[in-house]
Amino acid sequence: MGAYVLRRLIQSVVVVIGVTLVSFLALQIGGDPTYLFVSERASLEEIEAARRALGFDRPLHVQYLSFVGDLVRGDFGQSLSYRQPAMGIVLEALPATIELTLFSMLMALSLAIPLGVLAAINRGTAWDGSVTTFAMLGQSIPNFWLGIMMILVFGLYLRWFPISGHVPFLTPLIAGDVGTAFGNLPRTLFHLVLPGLAVGTYSLARNTRLVRSSLLEVLEEDYVRTARSKGLPEKRVLFHHALRNAWLPVVTVIGLEFGFLLGGVVVVETVFSYPGIGRLLFAAINQRDIPLVQAGVILLAGIFIILNLLVDLIYVRLDPRMKLAGGRG
Amino acid sequence: MNHMPMRIRSGVCLLALTLTVAGCAQRDENTIVVGLSADITTFEPGMISSRDNANIARHIFAGLFSLDADGQHVPDLAHTLELTDDGTGYVYTLREGLTCHDGEPLTAEDVAYTFNRIADPANRFTGNSPGFVFTSIGFQNAEALDDLRVQINIARKNPIAFGLITEIYVHCKDSYERMSLDEAASNPIGSGPYRLASWTRGSEVVLEKVKDRGNFQRIVWRIIPEASTRTAELVAGNVDIITNVVPEQIEAIEASGRAEVHAVSGTRRMYLGFNLSEASRQMPGGEAIQDPAVRRALQYAVDVPTICRQLLSVECQRATGPVNPPNANPNLTPYPFDPAMAERLLDEAGWERGDDGIRFSIRLQAGRGRYVNDVNVILAITQYLEDVGLDVELELLEWASVYTPLLRERSMGPLFFLGSGGGLWSPIYDMTDLADVDSGTNYTHWDDPRWFSRWAELSEAETAEERRPVIDEMLQVFYDDGPWLHLYFQPDFYGVSNRVDWEARRDERVYLFDARLRL
């Protein structure tokens, strides 16, 4: 397993370099970023001076290679807008997004499993129809629209939850300030409810359908029929035999979904004024703050790679039939 | 619920209670909360460039003079100004007893340090101060003459140098010499009424009052990019003032009974520019607009008042040129909407309708998402132009990555839609967009000598009275044969809670020194 992990990590370096190259080129396609860092009244001479100051006067390949060279030394460069180390700014925003992503995933999973099971064991009934309809709606509704509707209903009219903002939990926790972190926790959760629902609804809907279909498939298997014919109680058949095996595809999706959610919360973070990495990168892309975008992209790519690896490892643990390529399982 | 184990039930109850308590925070009477649409990026005085960033910074950093809501410069850190005989040395005398947020006395040495630090090329600052102010005034250096007198030296006489110098954020030498540039970006040490208490990037900036000016102990600037969320926070009573209210939400705010909308005629000049460059001449419509008679004809083609009423929800202040009222030429009146006149003038200029009803084709470029309801405004303008026989090829472009580079290369058009920031404090400041044929903001490449030859007179004139007739004559030329189709001064909308008394200014500056709770 060690060799497998090492090989995957080496491959991931190539992936990260590829990702930085693509994002670098994508940002350059839009033209010279210098214009976004000068006053609207700047003269051509002032623009030229700013271009030199920002390093955009160098050929593209020199700019990119210089960035990669710095990267190898662990220097992600300075954000052009903030004039501070780019990775530091990204890491500052990461805990908020992790809080949002974890909260929405936990919420989605804690509801998706019972709903999926409910639909599967009541296949063809009104329960099944209701859950399936809900799941289809959940996958169809755009999350920004859902977010705005929730703000109107639960934030403005009912006043149950805050409309926007964020109260940090992980940041003080990481800093070792446990008291502040847990003191903040109720307000953190309170602020997470609406954005968490907006982010997590799609995931909830998808996982509900996944649990339902996976469970339905497993319930048709011979070993389930055998368990039932042995006279085991239906609950034991369901939870001990069927659901355990129905987990496999769900685990795969969950692992990948965390990565997707991390990078995909941009719109919801904007709607709820949530200071996470998605909104930061969205602003950085608009501002063409290349070092900041690169730092964010590298971090997200790294997280995604590690999650993929973890999913593969967990998959092998859950399903003894699977083996790691080139490894001994 | 009856079947729920006791531990889970207790947990649910506890969570519900904590959430309820968390949601019941009372508004603090010593705190005012402002919802901004754009994030701020720095507190480095040499790097500040956006209006939102500048608005917050102005509460932390004072200037030598400051600009009041009527466009008058009033003493701030300095109480007097004298010019040297040749008009290139500005000698400011500071008030006595000034202090910095670090507790050190603020002296002329700090002011000189401020100017020289911002201008230092080693610092590679690209903000508004070095990128616009210093180059506009030809900044040379600053020197402390004694503890209270500082001299700012500029390259040549400049009638608006005094106003531009007020834009500089004075900061404190001892602290900045100790800090790296990284540290300075998030640790402002100024001399204004407020100091930075905390800054959560992308979320909020909290300022704390340290000097007498201002009625609130704390100012919280919350970053709320989404317009509907800002409105919801205002109506819910969580925010006292919001900027950039979109016209569609005005009614909702007014109907809430908790807040109202302050609409002011802003200082941003909205216009349709005619690109008169040689490159533009080769494009569809580029030849036609070279003729001032065609440009004048098109002034009558667009129904600006209707655009304002229908798409911006207000009666706009109409423009007759680049200068904001009350500094504009008082003898000029906005062109009326008269499509028949437009058609007659186009016929006379030799651009009669063809068999297909079209006089000539022209490309119109505009950025999207930058100005109030800009896409709908530009669609309406397109329709008005087509009604008088133009075949308009409209290109709506992404602002940051596509339109801005075109703008800075001065290659949009031949017709382009733009808003240019202006001011109330000087007509000349508003005219400097076209201070030179080749200036970066003369996007039109207009080169009429009746305009450009008069700048030397403006520089040499000693008094405002001497300058006024020259300005009026220049504005008359701009009105008759200029390179802009005059539209309107962009209205700005602010949402203001019933909880506070605060007056919105015309110049996009959100200053809270005079804001107070309603009794």
Side-chain angles (χ1 to χ4, degrees), chain A residues 27 29-32 34-47 49-55 78 80-85 88-89 92-93 148 151-152 155-156 159-166 168 185-191 193 269-276 279-280 283 285-288, chain B residues 15 18-20 22-24 39-42 47 123-128 130-132 135-136 181-183 185-186 199-203 222-226 228-229 231-233 235-238 258 268-269 370-371 398 400-402 404-405 408-410 419-422 429-430 432-433 438-441 443:
Chain A
L27 286 167
I29 284 170
D32 186 349
T34 310
Y35 297 119
L36 298 172
F37 296 93
V38 292
S39 155
E40 65 177 319
R41 291 190 171 213
S43 66
L44 291 176
E45 292 74 29
E46 289 150 22
I47 294 171
R51 185 175 287 122
R52 279 197 302 276
L54 294 165
Q78 291 253 330
L80 301 176
S81 320
Y82 294 97
R83 285 292 286 260
Q84 289 188 318
I89 294 169
E92 208 177 279
I148 290 172
I151 284 175
L152 286 178
L156 192 56
R159 312 230 168 181
W160 288 358
F161 298 103
I163 289 166
S164 64
H166 166 247
L185 187 57
R187 289 170 60 229
T188 305
L189 293 172
F190 195 49
H191 279 79
V193 174
E269 286 186 351
T270 302
V271 168
F272 288 94
S273 304
Y274 194 88
R279 213 180 101 200
L280 178 77
I285 290 166
N286 277 332
Q287 189 62 28
R288 311 272 282 290
Chain B
L15 184 64
T18 50
L19 292 185
T20 308
C24 292
D39 199 0
I40 60 145
T41 54
T42 186
M47 288 296 288
N123 290 328
R124 300 190 305 159
F125 292 142
T126 56
N128 199 50
F132 166 57
T135 46
S136 298
L181 290 177
D182 281 359
E183 290 166 334
S186 52
W199 175 24
T200 310
R201 221 185 297 275
S203 181
R222 287 187 52 195
I223 316 302
I224 311 176
E226 172 59 33
S228 57
T229 311
T231 298
E233 289 283 26
V235 172
N238 301 324
R258 292 168 165 268
R268 187 165 293 277
R269 293 82 45 89
R370 175 75 167 182
Y371 308 114
E398 197 278 321
S401 60
V402 184
T404 301
R408 297 300 157 82
E409 286 158 7
R410 303 199 294 155
S420 176
Y429 175 73
D430 282 351
T432 50
D433 286 54
D438 296 322
S439 96
T441 45
Y443 305 114

Side-chain angles (χ1 to χ4, degrees), chain B residues 85-360:
Chain B
D85 291 341
D86 64 356
T88 62
Y90 285 64
V91 180
Y92 291 89
T93 305
L94 303 181
R95 287 190 285 122
E96 289 189 42
L98 295 170
T99 54
C100 292
H101 294 165
D102 58 8
E104 296 292 324
L106 189 146
T107 66
E109 201 180 342
D110 293 291
V111 179
Y113 171 79
T114 291
F115 279 74
N116 294 326
R117 176 179 178 272
I118 289 173
D120 186 348
N123 290 328
R124 300 190 305 159
F125 292 142
T126 56
N128 199 50
S129 299
F132 166 57
V133 172
F134 280 8
T135 46
S136 298
I137 64 175
F139 173 76
Q140 301 293 294
N141 57 41
E143 52 190 321
L145 303 178
D146 53 43
D147 272 0
L148 292 179
R149 289 188 312 137
V150 61
Q151 180 167 329
I152 316 295
N153 297 308
I154 62 175
R156 56 197 166 274
K157 281 176 74 171
N158 183 324
I160 58 169
F162 167 63
L164 292 174
I165 288 171
T166 63
E167 298 294 316
I168 304 299
Y169 307 100
V170 174
H171 41 289
C172 300
K173 183 181 175 188
D174 290 351
S175 288
Y176 278 83
E177 279 189 335
R178 279 196 296 270
M179 287 192 283
S180 67
L181 290 177
D182 281 359
E183 290 166 334
S186 52
N187 295 288
I189 307 293
S191 51
Y194 288 84
R195 73 167 187 86
L196 179 68
S198 68
W199 175 24
T200 310
R201 221 185 297 275
S203 181
E204 67 177 24
V205 174
V206 180
L207 305 185
E208 203 170 64
K209 191 169 129 178
V210 288
K211 293 189 179 173
D212 283 344
R213 202 170 167 207
N215 296 311
F216 290 94
Q217 275 307 119
R218 291 188 347 140
I219 301 175
V220 179
W221 306 82
R222 287 187 52 195
I223 316 302
I224 311 176
E226 172 59 33
S228 57
T229 311
R230 279 198 306 282
T231 298
E233 289 283 26
L234 176 73
V235 172
N238 301 324
V239 168
D240 297 304
I241 296 169
I242 59 170
T243 61
N244 295 337
V245 173
V246 293
E248 305 90 83
Q249 288 166 4
I250 291 174
E251 205 177 313
I253 293 173
E254 296 284 1
S256 71
R258 292 168 165 268
E260 58 190 24
V261 173
H262 289 197
V264 291
S265 175
T267 51
R268 187 165 293 277
R269 293 82 45 89
M270 305 304 301
Y271 65 92
L272 214 55
F274 299 100
N275 188 336
L276 305 173
S277 68
E278 272 309 304
S280 173
R281 189 193 282 261
Q282 311 307 321
M283 294 178 184
E287 182 63 41
I289 59 168
Q290 299 290 328
D291 182 354
V294 170
R295 302 201 294 270
R296 204 175 310 122
L298 295 180
Q299 304 275 5
Y300 293 96
V302 180
D303 187 354
V304 179
T306 300
I307 287 177
C308 289
R309 272 195 304 277
Q310 298 299 324
L311 300 176
L312 305 178
S313 306
V314 289
E315 299 287 343
C316 301
Q317 180 104 47
R318 294 285 312 282
T320 58
V323 175
N324 270 280
N327 300 321
N329 181 337
N331 303 316
L332 301 177
T333 53
Y335 284 96
F337 173 54
D338 187 346
M341 170 73 92
E343 298 229 28
R344 187 169 64 75
L345 291 175
L346 286 169
D347 286 344
E348 287 172 10
W351 294 96
E352 294 175 354
R353 283 182 187 262
D355 293 340
D356 55 0
I358 292 173
R359 297 174 189 278
F360 59 86

Side-chain angles (χ1 to χ4, degrees), chain A residues 74-132:
Chain A
D75 178 3
F76 289 82
Q78 291 253 330
S79 155
L80 301 176
S81 320
Y82 294 97
R83 285 292 286 260
Q84 289 188 318
M87 186 50 92
I89 294 169
V90 173
L91 287 173
E92 208 177 279
L94 184 64
T97 299
I98 288 180
E99 285 167 9
L100 177 58
T101 310
L102 277 178
F103 181 88
S104 54
M105 272 199 72
L106 287 174
M107 185 272 302
L109 279 182
S110 61
L111 292 174
I113 294 170
L115 285 174
V117 171
L118 183 72
I121 61 178
N122 294 291
R123 185 183 189 180
T125 66
W127 281 110
D128 187 21
S130 306
V131 170
T132 309

Side-chain angles (χ1 to χ4, degrees), chain B residues 27-33 193-194 207-220 240-241 499-502 512-518:
Chain B
R27 291 297 309 280
D28 175 2
E29 292 195 345
N30 290 316
T31 302
I32 186 167
V33 184
Y194 288 84
L207 305 185
E208 203 170 64
K209 191 169 129 178
V210 288
K211 293 189 179 173
D212 283 344
R213 202 170 167 207
N215 296 311
F216 290 94
Q217 275 307 119
R218 291 188 347 140
I219 301 175
V220 179
D240 297 304
I241 296 169
R499 180 176 174 262
V500 296
D501 261 333
W502 177 77
L512 303 169
F513 306 115
D514 298 324
R516 60 180 67 248
L517 278 181
R518 279 197 175 156

